[in-house]
Amino acid sequence: MPNLEHPAYPAATLLRLESLVPCRESQVSMLLSIFGERQQFTFPSIFIYGHTSSGKTYVMQTLLNTLQLPHVFVNCVEYFTSRLLLEEILIQLQNCSFETKHASHVLCDTFNDFVRMFKQAVTSQDLQDQTLYIVLDRAEQLREMEANILPAFLRLQELTDRNVTVVLLSEIVWELFRPSTGCFEPFTLYFPDYSIGHLQKILSHNHPPEYSADFYAAYINILLGVFYMVCRDLKELQHLAALNFSKYCEPVVRGEANERDTRKLWKNIEPHLKKAMQTVYLREISSSQWERLQRDDGEPGQLKGLSAHAHVELPYYSKFLLIAAYLASYNPVRTDKRFFLKHHGKIKKTNFMKKHEKTSNHLLGPKPFPLDRLLAILYSIVDNRVAPTANIFSQITSLVTLQLLSLVGHNDQLDGPRYKCTVSLDFIRAIARFFSLLHLKEGQSIGP
């Protein structure tokens, strides 16, 4: 018996809709109840929120397309100004009719113009007898526009006196949207994260036809067992499943195991899943490059060609700043004189120092350091003299933006900002190798 029921739509259409939106039946059922029949007025505005990859955009697009409801779908990141947003809505509205092949460009400077042109478009497209849905994806961008845009969209049904519903899709809660001056409150609907059972069902849905459903479900179960604690993004998990399935099938293709020999299949895929763990969300290489690396019989723990961070393009002094930050994060302050002064004199090694220096600082993690110490180490490791100009400070800010450095504490601290280096030792070695090669080339060019 189907979970979705509505008297206004055929049972076959609802059954197909249910198959297209697995694990979101309760949310779709709620939306169908809110929408009602085509000619009925519904809520003026609906606010749908949830984390990334919780199915908000996909469910809305599938629902509106499957039921063939007139709608306009706009991404607020792509149309980032109020004028671009309003004009795109009007252009798509002109395309709602099958008779209109190419919509002419419209000019809309204010929301008053939008309301007037919206009324004309609804009348000309013969949409007065059914609800028109305007879906604004990534709606949090509306907060960056003029102050009247969000309240006006929430009351668009009242302003235009037309049967229109505005649907806002966002990753943040409504409390962060609500203007301080107040506005019309929309109907809010929450999309929860997919559970591990939901992810198992969705990922196992589209299995390759040459393999059985049970075989692919076992592979998805192994994949989720490895990645679920660090990644619950459905899109990323789909990417990882498609990327590593060929390696999982290798023993079966070579005739070394059958589909039920899960132990051999797991031993074959385990080192490659560990490699993939280091590239979750990064997209450092393409899928074809990854497949070539999978066929390479290198050491299991070695991640060949995947260190895009090692080839990161940074300005000249930013690389020195990153090396200085790493030294400041992993070396105690008391060692600065010994490491960075040429004539530091004799330093007495106490029993306290000897006892604690046996513990690797890499096991303890990076320590925060002040800006003055970072600059002092920078001056000592750079060959030529570096002036503390605005260029240097802007590069420090850029490193924080790139998340290569992290700012510890608040900017308004009286004792100045404190930073922490977030990159690995391999990253620093790659940058240092760049400088050693650069100096070697310079020596060869000036040599005899």
Side-chain angles (χ1 to χ4, degrees):
M1 182 177 179
N3 294 323
L4 301 180
E5 296 180 357
H6 199 281
Y9 304 104
T13 302
L14 295 177
L15 192 63
R16 184 162 64 92
L17 175 62
E18 184 177 343
S19 66
L20 293 174
V21 288
C23 309
R24 281 290 178 256
E25 292 84 2
S26 60
Q27 286 76 22
V28 174
S29 179
M30 175 64 72
L31 287 171
L32 288 174
S33 301
I34 295 171
F35 288 175
E37 299 185 8
R38 289 176 178 271
Q39 71 278 7
Q40 293 176 340
F41 274 75
T42 181
F43 280 91
S45 52
I46 302 172
F47 182 81
I48 300 176
Y49 67 102
H51 291 148
T52 304
S53 290
S54 55
K56 305 180 296 297
T57 303
Y58 173 75
V59 166
M60 281 304 303
Q61 287 179 329
T62 305
L63 175 63
L64 296 172
N65 291 328
T66 304
L67 301 182
Q68 297 182 352
L69 300 175
H71 65 278
V72 171
F73 210 101
V74 183
N75 190 313
C76 296
V77 173
E78 184 177 355
Y79 301 95
F80 52 90
T81 66
S82 59
R83 177 173 177 175
L84 290 174
L85 179 63
L86 299 178
E87 290 178 354
E88 177 62 20
I89 293 174
L90 294 172
I91 291 172
Q92 289 194 29
L93 186 56
Q94 293 180 6
N95 290 329
C96 281
S97 174
F98 294 104
E99 300 175 356
T100 307
K101 298 296 182 182
H102 299 286
S104 58
H105 183 67
V106 294
L107 294 176
C108 182
D109 294 322
T110 65
F111 209 91
N112 287 335
D113 295 337
F114 173 75
V115 171
R116 175 178 53 82
M117 299 172 74
F118 182 84
K119 290 181 179 180
Q120 296 174 357
V122 170
T123 304
S124 64
Q125 299 296 330
D126 195 22
L127 297 173
Q128 303 98 315
D129 298 333
Q130 51 187 328
T131 305
L132 173 66
Y133 297 92
I134 298 178
V135 184
L136 302 180
D137 196 9
R138 302 294 297 273
E140 56 268 14
Q141 299 298 320
L142 294 176
R143 302 181 302 166
E144 308 298 328
M145 300 181 186
E146 291 83 348
N148 67 315
I149 295 296
L150 177 60
F153 270 122
L154 295 175
R155 300 180 58 186
L156 186 62
Q157 188 179 103
E158 176 185 348
L159 295 174
T160 60
D161 194 24
R162 296 291 186 272
N163 189 0
V164 57
T165 294
V166 177
V167 182
L168 306 177
L169 306 181
S170 177
E171 296 179 3
I172 62 177
V173 297
W174 168 247
E175 284 71 21
L176 298 177
F177 268 83
R178 185 184 291 114
S180 57
T181 55
C183 66
F184 181 84
E185 294 289 324
F187 179 87
T188 58
L189 178 62
Y190 175 60
F191 272 50
D193 292 340
Y194 289 111
S195 66
I196 189 169
H198 291 161
L199 292 174
Q200 173 81 29
K201 181 179 179 180
I202 295 170
L203 293 172
S204 303
H205 187 66
N206 295 321
H207 65 87
E210 59 270 21
Y211 295 98
S212 65
D214 293 339
F215 177 68
Y216 193 73
Y219 164 67
I220 294 299
N221 189 37
I222 290 175
L223 189 82
L224 290 175
V226 175
F227 290 101
Y228 184 72
M229 295 303 296
V230 297
C231 174
R232 303 185 184 185
D233 189 316
L234 178 59
K235 294 178 182 177
E236 185 70 20
L237 290 171
Q238 287 174 332
H239 173 72
L240 291 168
L243 214 56
N244 294 282
F245 183 63
S246 60
K247 198 67 182 178
Y248 181 75
C249 300
E250 274 188 359
V252 178
V253 173
R254 294 196 298 257
E256 299 174 357
N258 55 40
E259 292 188 359
R260 296 183 178 276
D261 197 349
T262 55
R263 181 178 177 83
K264 284 186 177 180
L265 296 173
W266 163 247
K267 290 185 68 175
N268 182 68
I269 193 68
E270 181 184 11
H272 301 278
L273 293 181
K274 288 182 178 179
K275 290 181 184 179
M277 280 279 286
Q278 302 178 39
T279 61
V280 174
Y281 295 114
L282 296 182
R283 295 292 196 277
E284 294 180 318
I285 58 173
S286 65
S287 299
S288 59
Q289 289 174 316
W290 172 259
E291 289 173 359
R292 286 197 298 269
L293 289 171
Q294 295 281 54
R295 294 193 295 267
D296 189 6
D297 296 328
E299 295 181 9
Q302 186 179 4
L303 195 66
K304 298 183 179 179
L306 293 182
S307 57
H309 293 306
H311 313 102
V312 67
E313 295 296 332
L314 292 173
Y316 183 77
Y317 285 118
S318 291
K319 295 180 179 180
F320 275 112
L321 282 167
L322 209 51
I323 294 174
Y326 187 85
L327 295 172
S329 281
Y330 287 96
N331 287 325
V333 179
R334 63 177 180 271
T335 61
D336 287 352
K337 185 177 179 182
R338 178 173 41 164
F339 291 154
F340 305 115
L341 284 182
K342 292 182 179 179
H343 306 289
H344 53 73
K346 187 176 181 181
I347 298 179
K348 183 179 180 181
K349 295 183 179 180
T350 62
N351 293 331
F352 174 82
M353 291 176 62
K354 289 181 180 179
K355 177 182 178 181
H356 287 268
E357 283 176 353
K358 292 180 181 178
T359 303
S360 174
N361 289 324
H362 293 90
L363 299 177
L364 302 176
K367 302 293 189 299
F369 55 86
L371 176 62
D372 294 342
R373 187 180 175 214
L374 172 66
L375 295 176
I377 296 176
L378 173 69
Y379 300 150
S380 65
I381 64 176
V382 178
D383 293 335
N384 52 348
R385 184 174 178 82
V386 182
T389 60
N391 183 31
I392 296 296
F393 293 107
S394 66
Q395 291 187 39
I396 296 175
T397 305
S398 298
L399 292 175
V400 174
T401 304
L402 293 171
Q403 298 183 356
L404 303 176
L405 297 181
S406 64
L407 184 62
V408 181
H410 300 285
N411 293 328
D412 57 353
Q413 288 181 334
L414 296 178
D415 56 350
R418 296 174 66 84
Y419 300 92
K420 186 185 291 186
C421 184
T422 59
V423 300
S424 64
L425 179 60
D426 293 334
F427 192 118
I428 298 299
R429 281 175 174 166
I431 295 177
R433 194 176 302 116
F434 163 78
F435 285 117
S436 63
L437 293 174
L438 182 63
H439 292 165
L440 180 61
K441 290 181 180 179
E442 289 177 352
Q444 291 174 350
S445 63
I446 63 175

